[in-house]
Amino acid sequence: MDDRKLEVLRAIVEDYVATQEPVGSKAVSQRHALGVSAATVRNDMAYLEEAGYIQQPHTSAGRIPTAKGYRLFVDRLGKIKPLSAAERRAVHRFLSEAIDLDDVVTRTVRLLAQLTHQVAVVQYPSLNRSSVRHLELVSLTPTRLMVVMITDTGRVEQRYVETPEELNEDNVLELRRLVNEQLQGKPLADAPRIIADLAGLARPELHPTASALARVLLETVVARTEERVAVAGAANLTRPGNFFAGSLRPILEALEEEVVLMQLLGRADSNALLTVRIGDENHLDDFRETTVVTAGYGPGSVVGHMGVLGPTRMDYPGTIAAVRAVARYVSEILEQNR
C-alpha cells in the first residue's frame, strides 16, 4: 500500500471519529490536502474496501473503517496528541493530592473516565509484584495482636493474631524487630519461604507466638493475592456517538465481573508499556465491538495495569495519550512514596 492510500485511510478514520457519519470520496478530497481528485480518492477507497480496511455500512456512498482499518491506523498512522500544559498540570495536581493508595486508584479511574469519555478500569497494585516496606505489630490485648503489612506500592493489609501466650511490650517489640529484619525490602514472591523459617529464629519462649504470627503472615501473602480493580464511567457507553451494533447489556454485565476486567487489562505477567486491542483482538465475545487501551504502571517495574474501553470508533490518539500520561504520573507518585 502506497503512502497516498494510507493518507486516505487516515482521513476516513479521522473524519468518521469526528462526524460519526460514513465518509465519502468528495468529503475526503475537500477536507484534506491530498493533492488528488475525488476520482483518484474513489479508486483508493475501492482498494481499501477490497483489502478489508473500510466498509460500506449501507447503500450510501460513504465508507467507515473496519477493525482492520483501525488497527493499521493505530500502528502506522495515528499521531499521539500530547496533553496540553494545562491538562498536564491539572492531572498532576489532582493525583498528587491523594492521601493513600485507595485514593490514588479512585482518583485515577475517575480521571481516566473524564479525560477519555470512556469506561476506565484500574487494577490495584498486585501483591505478587510488590515488596514489603514495613510490618507493624500492635498489641490490642495481652493475647491479641494486629499485624499491618505495608508494601512498596502503598498497599496495606491488616490482620489479627490470637497469641497462645500473654505478651508484654518487650515481647511485641522483639517480634516486630524480627519480622522486619527478615521481610523488610523482600519481594512478596519470596515471603512464603522466609516466613516458614520465622518461628525457628525466635527465642524458645516466643516460638508458639512466632508460629501463630507466621501462619497469619503466610495467609496474608498467599491467600490475599486476589486482584482488585476499580471501574468508573460506565455511563459513557451510552453517550451520543458511542455506537454499538448489539445490546449494551452484556458489556455492562461483564464490567461487574472482576475476572473479565482482569482479562481485559492483560495477563498478570504482561509488562507491555501500552497495548491497544481492537474488536476481535480482545478474544471475549461480549467485547467484539470494543477497543481496550491499557498501560502498565509502577515504581520502576509494572505492578498493575490501567486502561479504558469503548467502541472501536474512538479518538485513538487522544485516548492513547491520556492513558499513557496518567500511567506515568501514577508511577511517579508510587516511586516518590516508596
Side-chain angles (χ1 to χ4, degrees):
M1 190 186 302
D2 58 46
D3 289 344
R4 191 186 66 233
K5 292 184 179 66
L6 288 173
E7 287 303 312
V8 170
L9 176 61
R10 183 207 297 275
I12 293 171
V13 171
E14 291 178 349
D15 285 2
Y16 181 58
V17 169
T19 68
Q20 305 170 28
E21 296 289 341
V23 182
S25 57
K26 184 177 180 180
V28 171
S29 61
Q30 290 178 342
R31 294 173 184 163
H32 302 270
L34 300 181
V36 296
S37 66
T40 300
V41 172
R42 277 197 299 275
N43 290 335
D44 289 342
M45 289 176 66
Y47 172 89
L48 293 169
E49 185 171 12
E50 185 177 353
Y53 294 106
I54 60 176
Q55 64 183 2
Q56 188 175 24
H58 43 75
T59 56
S60 73
R63 301 294 188 274
I64 66 174
T66 63
K68 182 178 179 181
Y70 285 125
R71 178 79 269 165
L72 184 60
F73 176 82
V74 169
D75 290 344
R76 296 182 58 182
L77 299 170
K79 295 181 179 178
I80 305 304
K81 297 184 295 189
L83 299 183
S84 67
E87 287 175 323
R88 291 196 301 272
R89 287 194 298 270
V91 168
H92 186 267
R93 182 173 62 253
F94 183 68
L95 293 179
S96 63
E97 291 173 351
I99 58 176
D100 56 24
L101 179 65
D102 283 337
D103 197 18
V104 169
V105 172
T106 300
R107 286 170 177 262
T108 298
V109 75
R110 285 168 48 203
L111 182 63
L112 275 177
Q114 292 168 3
L115 287 173
T116 64
H117 305 295
Q118 306 294 354
V119 180
V121 185
V122 177
Q123 174 193 8
Y124 280 76
S126 171
L127 280 179
N128 290 328
R129 283 172 282 176
S130 302
S131 298
V132 178
R133 187 167 75 188
H134 183 69
L135 277 157
E136 187 61 50
L137 298 183
V138 180
S139 178
L140 301 177
T141 72
T143 59
R144 195 172 198 229
L145 295 174
M146 180 173 65
V147 183
V148 181
M149 183 180 71
I150 304 171
T151 71
D152 60 343
T153 55
R155 186 164 173 174
V156 178
E157 294 291 330
Q158 181 176 300
R159 303 300 291 270
Y160 298 95
V161 183
E162 302 296 336
T163 65
E165 55 201 354
E166 292 192 0
L167 301 176
N168 57 38
E169 186 176 341
D170 289 340
N171 297 148
V172 175
L173 289 173
E174 185 175 343
L175 288 169
R176 181 190 302 147
R177 184 173 59 252
L178 174 63
V179 295
N180 277 291
E181 284 176 352
Q182 298 302 311
L183 289 169
Q184 198 168 46
K186 300 295 194 305
L188 286 177
D190 298 337
R193 173 183 53 81
I194 298 171
I195 292 170
D197 299 331
L198 200 60
L201 299 175
R203 288 189 294 111
E205 309 91 274
L206 292 177
H207 275 182
T209 295
S211 295
L213 176 60
R215 286 193 297 271
V216 170
L217 288 173
L218 192 60
E219 183 181 346
T220 302
V221 299
V222 174
R224 292 294 299 276
T225 56
E226 74 275 9
E227 305 293 355
R228 297 167 55 201
V229 294
V231 183
N236 285 330
L237 292 175
T238 63
R239 289 175 63 247
N242 275 359
F243 174 76
F244 294 87
S247 170
L248 277 177
R249 182 173 179 177
I251 297 177
L252 293 172
E253 290 177 346
L255 290 175
E256 297 179 1
E257 301 292 333
E258 290 202 349
V259 173
V260 173
L261 295 176
M262 289 307 305
Q263 288 179 304
L264 288 173
L265 285 177
R267 299 297 178 184
D269 60 355
S270 171
N271 288 320
L273 293 179
L274 190 133
T275 303
V276 180
R277 291 193 297 276
I278 303 170
D280 289 343
E281 294 172 355
N282 289 302
H283 302 299
L284 293 170
D285 289 339
D286 293 331
F287 293 88
R288 299 294 185 184
E289 295 184 16
T290 66
T291 287
V292 181
V293 180
T294 60
Y297 73 91
S301 61
V302 173
V303 297
H305 290 81
M306 66 179 66
V308 300
L309 65 93
T312 53
R313 190 199 64 77
M314 71 163 54
D315 173 14
Y316 287 94
T319 300
I320 290 170
V323 172
R324 181 180 289 171
V326 173
R328 183 175 67 250
Y329 279 120
V330 172
S331 297
E332 291 174 359
I333 289 171
L334 295 181
E335 179 67 39
Q336 294 167 4
N337 294 328
R338 292 182 74 170

